[in-house]
Amino acid sequence: MTPSTALPSTGRPLILGSTSPYRRELLSRLAVPFDTASPQVDETPLPGESPRTLALRLAEAKAREVARRYPQAVVIGSDQVADLAGLPLGKPGTHERAVAQLRQMSGQTVVFQTAVAVVCEATGFCQIDLAAVNVVFRPLGDAEIERYLHLEQPYDCAGSAKSEGLGIALLERIDNDDPTALVGLPLIRTCRMIRAAGVAIL
């Protein structure tokens, strides 16, 4: 766990149950001190599990696993699954898989299911929510896909694109009600939930 310099106003540590640099950067915007911890969770989808259900299950599982280790803390867990007509698309990990994903998504609408859970084991607090972001990809040629992947290398991102970077050039439209959800952590929902858990933000 990465040490913080202070505790939030509840007196309880706030922990982000994620090693994602994207989620860490997003949460830091709130100017609330927090630690990070790596959740030890198997992210394998269950047979027949929908992308939405998978994202919700993993967000809660990550928060609860970290909360078991730090029961006095308020823990945030999050997970994102790209949903292409019911087919879950995870992090590609390799160039070849990223090429295949972007070819699949070319000209299609992809729903990025971004779930967030907030858990405090000591108080029994648990809230879970989901922000669905509809992303319309424009038709993409193979040369564009190769050039984009060479420049940005988004192999650790669900759906093989970083909308906060050059990946925005792959898109026609983004529809959502929580602007940071597509990057990996829906801050409007997160703020509401950690306030409900007793963490003052302002």
Side-chain angles (χ1 to χ4, degrees), residues 47-88:
E49 189 172 33
S50 72
R52 181 181 188 278
T53 302
L54 174 61
L56 286 165
R57 178 176 65 81
L58 291 180
E60 181 179 4
K62 290 174 181 180
R64 289 193 180 279
E65 196 280 328
V66 173
R68 279 193 290 273
R69 286 184 273 146
Y70 304 99
Q72 298 300 320
V74 174
V75 180
I76 301 166
S78 188
D79 193 77
Q80 183 180 77
V81 181
D83 179 350
L84 177 59
L87 175 68

Short mmCIF file of all heavy atoms in Angstrom, two decimals, residues 47-88:
data_model
loop_
_atom_site.label_atom_id
_atom_site.label_comp_id
_atom_site.label_asym_id
_atom_site.label_seq_id
_atom_site.Cartn_x
_atom_site.Cartn_y
_atom_site.Cartn_z
N PRO A 47 -19.29 -18.21 -16.84
CA PRO A 47 -20.00 -18.65 -18.05
C PRO A 47 -21.32 -17.89 -18.24
O PRO A 47 -22.14 -17.82 -17.33
CB PRO A 47 -20.26 -20.14 -17.78
CG PRO A 47 -19.18 -20.55 -16.83
CD PRO A 47 -18.96 -19.35 -15.95
N GLY A 48 -21.47 -17.30 -19.42
CA GLY A 48 -22.71 -16.59 -19.73
C GLY A 48 -22.86 -15.24 -19.07
O GLY A 48 -23.91 -14.61 -19.20
N GLU A 49 -21.84 -14.77 -18.38
CA GLU A 49 -21.94 -13.50 -17.64
C GLU A 49 -21.90 -12.32 -18.61
O GLU A 49 -21.03 -12.22 -19.47
CB GLU A 49 -20.79 -13.40 -16.65
CG GLU A 49 -20.90 -12.25 -15.67
CD GLU A 49 -19.83 -12.32 -14.59
OE1 GLU A 49 -18.71 -12.82 -14.89
OE2 GLU A 49 -20.11 -11.92 -13.46
N SER A 50 -22.84 -11.39 -18.45
CA SER A 50 -22.88 -10.22 -19.32
C SER A 50 -21.78 -9.24 -18.92
O SER A 50 -21.32 -9.24 -17.77
CB SER A 50 -24.24 -9.53 -19.21
OG SER A 50 -24.37 -8.88 -17.95
N PRO A 51 -21.35 -8.38 -19.85
CA PRO A 51 -20.34 -7.38 -19.51
C PRO A 51 -20.76 -6.50 -18.34
O PRO A 51 -19.94 -6.18 -17.46
CB PRO A 51 -20.19 -6.57 -20.80
CG PRO A 51 -20.54 -7.54 -21.88
CD PRO A 51 -21.65 -8.36 -21.30
N ARG A 52 -22.03 -6.10 -18.28
CA ARG A 52 -22.50 -5.25 -17.19
C ARG A 52 -22.39 -5.97 -15.85
O ARG A 52 -21.89 -5.42 -14.87
CB ARG A 52 -23.96 -4.85 -17.46
CG ARG A 52 -24.57 -3.95 -16.39
CD ARG A 52 -26.02 -3.62 -16.74
NE ARG A 52 -26.56 -2.62 -15.84
CZ ARG A 52 -27.05 -2.88 -14.63
NH1 ARG A 52 -27.06 -4.13 -14.20
NH2 ARG A 52 -27.53 -1.91 -13.87
N THR A 53 -22.86 -7.21 -15.81
CA THR A 53 -22.80 -8.00 -14.58
C THR A 53 -21.37 -8.26 -14.17
O THR A 53 -21.02 -8.21 -12.98
CB THR A 53 -23.56 -9.32 -14.77
OG1 THR A 53 -24.91 -9.03 -15.14
CG2 THR A 53 -23.56 -10.13 -13.49
N LEU A 54 -20.50 -8.52 -15.14
CA LEU A 54 -19.09 -8.76 -14.87
C LEU A 54 -18.44 -7.53 -14.23
O LEU A 54 -17.73 -7.64 -13.22
CB LEU A 54 -18.36 -9.12 -16.16
CG LEU A 54 -16.83 -9.27 -16.09
CD1 LEU A 54 -16.42 -10.37 -15.14
CD2 LEU A 54 -16.26 -9.52 -17.49
N ALA A 55 -18.69 -6.35 -14.80
CA ALA A 55 -18.11 -5.12 -14.26
C ALA A 55 -18.57 -4.87 -12.83
O ALA A 55 -17.77 -4.53 -11.95
CB ALA A 55 -18.44 -3.94 -15.15
N LEU A 56 -19.87 -5.05 -12.58
CA LEU A 56 -20.40 -4.84 -11.23
C LEU A 56 -19.82 -5.84 -10.24
O LEU A 56 -19.43 -5.48 -9.12
CB LEU A 56 -21.93 -4.95 -11.25
CG LEU A 56 -22.69 -3.78 -11.88
CD1 LEU A 56 -24.13 -4.17 -12.18
CD2 LEU A 56 -22.66 -2.56 -10.95
N ARG A 57 -19.76 -7.10 -10.64
CA ARG A 57 -19.23 -8.14 -9.75
C ARG A 57 -17.77 -7.88 -9.40
O ARG A 57 -17.37 -7.99 -8.23
CB ARG A 57 -19.38 -9.52 -10.40
CG ARG A 57 -18.80 -10.66 -9.55
CD ARG A 57 -19.06 -12.02 -10.16
NE ARG A 57 -18.39 -12.25 -11.42
CZ ARG A 57 -17.11 -12.61 -11.56
NH1 ARG A 57 -16.35 -12.77 -10.49
NH2 ARG A 57 -16.59 -12.81 -12.76
N LEU A 58 -16.97 -7.53 -10.40
CA LEU A 58 -15.54 -7.33 -10.14
C LEU A 58 -15.27 -6.07 -9.33
O LEU A 58 -14.38 -6.05 -8.48
CB LEU A 58 -14.78 -7.29 -11.46
CG LEU A 58 -14.69 -8.61 -12.22
CD1 LEU A 58 -13.90 -8.44 -13.51
CD2 LEU A 58 -14.08 -9.71 -11.37
N ALA A 59 -16.03 -5.00 -9.57
CA ALA A 59 -15.85 -3.78 -8.77
C ALA A 59 -16.11 -4.07 -7.30
O ALA A 59 -15.32 -3.67 -6.42
CB ALA A 59 -16.78 -2.67 -9.27
N GLU A 60 -17.19 -4.79 -7.01
CA GLU A 60 -17.49 -5.12 -5.62
C GLU A 60 -16.45 -6.08 -5.05
O GLU A 60 -16.00 -5.92 -3.90
CB GLU A 60 -18.89 -5.74 -5.49
CG GLU A 60 -19.24 -6.07 -4.05
CD GLU A 60 -20.63 -6.66 -3.89
OE1 GLU A 60 -21.31 -6.89 -4.91
OE2 GLU A 60 -21.03 -6.90 -2.73
N ALA A 61 -16.05 -7.08 -5.84
CA ALA A 61 -15.07 -8.05 -5.36
C ALA A 61 -13.74 -7.38 -5.02
O ALA A 61 -13.10 -7.71 -4.01
CB ALA A 61 -14.87 -9.15 -6.40
N LYS A 62 -13.31 -6.43 -5.84
CA LYS A 62 -12.06 -5.72 -5.59
C LYS A 62 -12.15 -4.89 -4.31
O LYS A 62 -11.23 -4.90 -3.48
CB LYS A 62 -11.72 -4.82 -6.78
CG LYS A 62 -11.33 -5.58 -8.04
CD LYS A 62 -11.15 -4.64 -9.21
CE LYS A 62 -10.78 -5.39 -10.49
NZ LYS A 62 -10.60 -4.48 -11.64
N ALA A 63 -13.27 -4.18 -4.14
CA ALA A 63 -13.44 -3.36 -2.94
C ALA A 63 -13.49 -4.24 -1.69
O ALA A 63 -12.85 -3.94 -0.67
CB ALA A 63 -14.71 -2.52 -3.05
N ARG A 64 -14.22 -5.34 -1.75
CA ARG A 64 -14.35 -6.21 -0.57
C ARG A 64 -13.03 -6.91 -0.24
O ARG A 64 -12.71 -7.10 0.94
CB ARG A 64 -15.47 -7.23 -0.79
CG ARG A 64 -16.87 -6.61 -0.75
CD ARG A 64 -17.94 -7.67 -0.64
NE ARG A 64 -19.28 -7.09 -0.61
CZ ARG A 64 -19.85 -6.57 0.49
NH1 ARG A 64 -19.17 -6.55 1.65
NH2 ARG A 64 -21.07 -6.07 0.44
N GLU A 65 -12.27 -7.30 -1.25
CA GLU A 65 -11.01 -7.99 -0.98
C GLU A 65 -10.03 -7.07 -0.27
O GLU A 65 -9.37 -7.46 0.70
CB GLU A 65 -10.41 -8.50 -2.30
CG GLU A 65 -9.32 -9.56 -2.11
CD GLU A 65 -7.96 -8.97 -1.75
OE1 GLU A 65 -7.66 -7.84 -2.20
OE2 GLU A 65 -7.22 -9.62 -1.00
N VAL A 66 -9.95 -5.82 -0.71
CA VAL A 66 -9.06 -4.86 -0.05
C VAL A 66 -9.62 -4.50 1.33
O VAL A 66 -8.86 -4.37 2.31
CB VAL A 66 -8.87 -3.61 -0.92
CG1 VAL A 66 -8.09 -2.53 -0.17
CG2 VAL A 66 -8.14 -3.97 -2.22
N ALA A 67 -10.94 -4.37 1.44
CA ALA A 67 -11.56 -4.02 2.73
C ALA A 67 -11.32 -5.11 3.78
O ALA A 67 -11.24 -4.80 4.98
CB ALA A 67 -13.05 -3.77 2.55
N ARG A 68 -11.22 -6.35 3.36
CA ARG A 68 -10.93 -7.42 4.32
C ARG A 68 -9.54 -7.24 4.93
O ARG A 68 -9.31 -7.57 6.09
CB ARG A 68 -11.04 -8.79 3.64
CG ARG A 68 -12.46 -9.31 3.53
CD ARG A 68 -12.48 -10.77 3.15
NE ARG A 68 -12.04 -11.00 1.79
CZ ARG A 68 -12.84 -10.96 0.73
NH1 ARG A 68 -14.14 -10.71 0.89
NH2 ARG A 68 -12.37 -11.20 -0.48
N ARG A 69 -8.61 -6.71 4.14
CA ARG A 69 -7.26 -6.48 4.65
C ARG A 69 -7.16 -5.19 5.47
O ARG A 69 -6.31 -5.06 6.34
CB ARG A 69 -6.27 -6.43 3.48
CG ARG A 69 -6.00 -7.80 2.87
CD ARG A 69 -4.95 -7.70 1.78
NE ARG A 69 -5.53 -7.39 0.48
CZ ARG A 69 -4.93 -6.64 -0.45
NH1 ARG A 69 -3.76 -6.08 -0.20
NH2 ARG A 69 -5.50 -6.43 -1.62
N TYR A 70 -8.02 -4.23 5.14
CA TYR A 70 -8.01 -2.93 5.83
C TYR A 70 -9.44 -2.61 6.27
O TYR A 70 -10.11 -1.74 5.70
CB TYR A 70 -7.48 -1.84 4.88
CG TYR A 70 -6.11 -2.15 4.34
CD1 TYR A 70 -5.95 -2.69 3.06
CD2 TYR A 70 -4.96 -1.92 5.10
CE1 TYR A 70 -4.70 -2.99 2.56
CE2 TYR A 70 -3.70 -2.22 4.60
CZ TYR A 70 -3.57 -2.75 3.34
OH TYR A 70 -2.32 -3.05 2.83
N PRO A 71 -9.94 -3.31 7.29
CA PRO A 71 -11.36 -3.21 7.65
C PRO A 71 -11.79 -1.83 8.14
O PRO A 71 -12.99 -1.51 8.08
CB PRO A 71 -11.53 -4.27 8.74
CG PRO A 71 -10.15 -4.52 9.27
CD PRO A 71 -9.23 -4.30 8.12
N GLN A 72 -10.88 -1.02 8.63
CA GLN A 72 -11.25 0.31 9.11
C GLN A 72 -11.33 1.35 7.98
O GLN A 72 -11.80 2.47 8.19
CB GLN A 72 -10.25 0.79 10.16
CG GLN A 72 -10.19 -0.08 11.41
CD GLN A 72 -11.53 -0.16 12.12
OE1 GLN A 72 -12.25 0.83 12.23
NE2 GLN A 72 -11.88 -1.36 12.60
N ALA A 73 -10.88 0.98 6.80
CA ALA A 73 -10.79 1.94 5.69
C ALA A 73 -12.09 2.00 4.89
O ALA A 73 -12.89 1.07 4.87
CB ALA A 73 -9.64 1.55 4.77
N VAL A 74 -12.25 3.12 4.20
CA VAL A 74 -13.27 3.25 3.15
C VAL A 74 -12.56 2.91 1.84
O VAL A 74 -11.57 3.56 1.47
CB VAL A 74 -13.85 4.67 3.10
CG1 VAL A 74 -14.79 4.83 1.91
CG2 VAL A 74 -14.59 5.00 4.40
N VAL A 75 -13.03 1.87 1.17
CA VAL A 75 -12.32 1.32 0.01
C VAL A 75 -13.14 1.51 -1.27
O VAL A 75 -14.34 1.20 -1.30
CB VAL A 75 -12.00 -0.18 0.21
CG1 VAL A 75 -11.27 -0.73 -1.01
CG2 VAL A 75 -11.17 -0.39 1.47
N ILE A 76 -12.47 1.97 -2.29
CA ILE A 76 -13.09 2.13 -3.62
C ILE A 76 -12.58 1.02 -4.53
O ILE A 76 -11.37 0.83 -4.68
CB ILE A 76 -12.73 3.49 -4.24
CG1 ILE A 76 -13.19 4.64 -3.35
CG2 ILE A 76 -13.34 3.62 -5.65
CD1 ILE A 76 -12.58 5.98 -3.73
N GLY A 77 -13.51 0.29 -5.15
CA GLY A 77 -13.15 -0.70 -6.17
C GLY A 77 -13.82 -0.32 -7.47
O GLY A 77 -14.93 0.23 -7.47
N SER A 78 -13.17 -0.57 -8.58
CA SER A 78 -13.77 -0.22 -9.87
C SER A 78 -13.34 -1.22 -10.94
O SER A 78 -12.28 -1.84 -10.83
CB SER A 78 -13.36 1.20 -10.28
OG SER A 78 -14.06 1.63 -11.44
N ASP A 79 -14.19 -1.36 -11.94
CA ASP A 79 -13.86 -2.24 -13.05
C ASP A 79 -14.56 -1.73 -14.30
O ASP A 79 -15.66 -1.18 -14.22
CB ASP A 79 -14.28 -3.68 -12.78
CG ASP A 79 -13.67 -4.64 -13.78
OD1 ASP A 79 -12.47 -4.95 -13.64
OD2 ASP A 79 -14.37 -5.05 -14.72
N GLN A 80 -13.91 -1.92 -15.43
CA GLN A 80 -14.50 -1.49 -16.70
C GLN A 80 -14.43 -2.64 -17.71
O GLN A 80 -13.39 -3.28 -17.87
CB GLN A 80 -13.76 -0.28 -17.27
CG GLN A 80 -14.37 0.26 -18.56
CD GLN A 80 -13.61 1.46 -19.08
OE1 GLN A 80 -12.53 1.31 -19.66
NE2 GLN A 80 -14.14 2.65 -18.86
N VAL A 81 -15.56 -2.88 -18.38
CA VAL A 81 -15.63 -3.90 -19.42
C VAL A 81 -16.24 -3.26 -20.66
O VAL A 81 -17.31 -2.64 -20.59
CB VAL A 81 -16.49 -5.10 -18.98
CG1 VAL A 81 -16.52 -6.15 -20.10
CG2 VAL A 81 -15.95 -5.72 -17.70
N ALA A 82 -15.56 -3.37 -21.78
CA ALA A 82 -16.11 -2.89 -23.04
C ALA A 82 -17.11 -3.93 -23.56
O ALA A 82 -16.80 -5.11 -23.62
CB ALA A 82 -14.99 -2.66 -24.06
N ASP A 83 -18.29 -3.45 -23.93
CA ASP A 83 -19.42 -4.31 -24.29
C ASP A 83 -19.77 -4.07 -25.76
O ASP A 83 -20.33 -3.04 -26.12
CB ASP A 83 -20.59 -3.96 -23.37
CG ASP A 83 -21.85 -4.77 -23.64
OD1 ASP A 83 -21.91 -5.49 -24.66
OD2 ASP A 83 -22.80 -4.66 -22.83
N LEU A 84 -19.43 -5.04 -26.61
CA LEU A 84 -19.75 -4.96 -28.03
C LEU A 84 -20.86 -5.95 -28.32
O LEU A 84 -20.61 -7.16 -28.45
CB LEU A 84 -18.51 -5.25 -28.88
CG LEU A 84 -18.71 -5.27 -30.40
CD1 LEU A 84 -19.24 -3.93 -30.91
CD2 LEU A 84 -17.41 -5.64 -31.11
N ALA A 85 -22.09 -5.46 -28.34
CA ALA A 85 -23.27 -6.29 -28.61
C ALA A 85 -23.31 -7.51 -27.68
O ALA A 85 -23.60 -8.62 -28.11
CB ALA A 85 -23.29 -6.73 -30.08
N GLY A 86 -23.00 -7.27 -26.39
CA GLY A 86 -23.03 -8.35 -25.42
C GLY A 86 -21.74 -9.13 -25.28
O GLY A 86 -21.62 -9.98 -24.40
N LEU A 87 -20.76 -8.85 -26.14
CA LEU A 87 -19.46 -9.53 -26.08
C LEU A 87 -18.50 -8.70 -25.24
O LEU A 87 -18.26 -7.53 -25.55
CB LEU A 87 -18.89 -9.70 -27.49
CG LEU A 87 -17.47 -10.28 -27.59
CD1 LEU A 87 -17.46 -11.74 -27.17
CD2 LEU A 87 -16.94 -10.13 -29.01
N PRO A 88 -17.97 -9.25 -24.15
CA PRO A 88 -17.04 -8.47 -23.33
C PRO A 88 -15.66 -8.37 -23.98
O PRO A 88 -15.11 -9.36 -24.44
CB PRO A 88 -16.97 -9.28 -22.02
CG PRO A 88 -17.29 -10.68 -22.42
CD PRO A 88 -18.24 -10.58 -23.57
#
